[in-house]
Amino acid sequence: MFHHKLTPTRTVRWKAAMFNRQLYVEIPKILPEGSKESFVQVLEYAEEKLECTNVFICFLKNRVDRGCIMRTFMFLGFATVSPNLPAVLAQSDYMLMGYSLD
């Protein structure tokens, strides 16, 4: 779990798991104000401290804001990941997007 304190009373939390130098981050149901900046810090931490090679985000396919989430993360450099790749966890109800740190 990553915690980023935005203000003395507001913290953004990101659930994540690491496997084979790849970080998997679950996108929360509600993205609070400041979540973009805090996610960029997660990316920096994954690259500099954890020495990850890739970061994957996952979120439910049936989210009403799926298009908005996809556009936002594509702007950050993420791309949709084929569910057939070996690096992808088999979860048919989740959408995955990946970002290479190499």
Side-chain angles (χ1 to χ4, degrees):
M1 176 100 49
F2 290 93
H3 300 267
H4 179 236
K5 196 167 197 151
L6 299 171
T7 68
T9 59
R10 179 176 282 185
T11 300
V12 177
R13 291 176 180 82
W14 298 96
K15 290 182 185 178
M18 193 168 118
F19 180 72
N20 287 340
R21 294 183 57 207
Q22 299 181 108
L23 187 66
Y24 295 83
V25 182
E26 182 180 359
I27 303 301
K29 291 180 182 180
I30 298 172
L31 290 170
E33 177 121 11
S35 57
K36 183 177 175 182
E37 293 80 8
S38 69
F39 189 79
V40 170
Q41 289 191 345
V42 170
L43 289 177
E44 290 172 355
Y45 188 83
E47 182 176 25
E48 296 169 9
K49 303 293 184 189
L50 300 176
E51 298 180 350
C52 291
T53 56
N54 297 293
V55 175
F56 294 96
I57 60 165
C58 59
F59 51 92
L60 288 171
K61 287 181 181 178
N62 64 357
R63 286 179 69 132
V64 294
D65 61 346
R66 182 178 78 175
C68 181
I69 287 174
M70 292 181 73
R71 283 189 298 278
T72 298
F73 284 94
M74 286 176 144
F75 179 77
L76 293 173
F78 281 78
T80 303
V81 176
S82 168
N84 300 325
L85 290 178
V88 176
L89 303 173
Q91 294 288 330
S92 62
D93 52 342
Y94 279 87
M95 173 72 83
L96 290 156
M97 296 181 79
Y99 180 80
S100 176
L101 295 172
D102 286 337

